[in-house]
Amino acid sequence: MAVQQRRGSKTRKNKRRTHYKLVPPTLVRCPSCGEYKLAHKMCACGEYNGRQVVEK
Ligand SMILES: [Zn+2]
């Protein structure tokens, strides 16, 4: 098992984490109702891929 030999500094930790960041969710407009929705998810109006998949 790998055993840590030396305690790292806060600076090194923080520098390593400079690439960590939140990414905003991809929002697309629903073609039928025009609402924003998450990509690859069904819209709140029940439409997906130009087809009514859930009845209201
Ligand atoms: Zn919709």
Side-chain angles (χ1 to χ4, degrees):
M1 192 178 92
V3 177
Q4 184 174 12
Q5 299 298 304
R6 213 182 307 280
R7 179 178 168 178
S9 73
K10 290 175 200 169
T11 304
R12 280 194 74 97
K13 176 184 73 180
N14 290 336
K15 281 181 174 176
R16 183 172 65 243
R17 293 179 184 178
T18 57
H19 306 284
Y20 292 15
K21 60 185 167 196
L22 292 172
V23 288
T26 307
L27 294 174
V28 295
R29 269 190 192 281
C30 172
S32 59
C33 69
E35 277 290 330
Y36 279 110
K37 68 172 194 70
L38 292 173
H40 311 116
K41 300 285 176 196
M42 188 191 79
C43 177
C45 71
E47 183 118 347
Y48 187 77
N49 213 278
R51 199 163 61 88
Q52 195 74 24
V53 290
V54 174
E55 295 303 323
K56 276 178 265 191

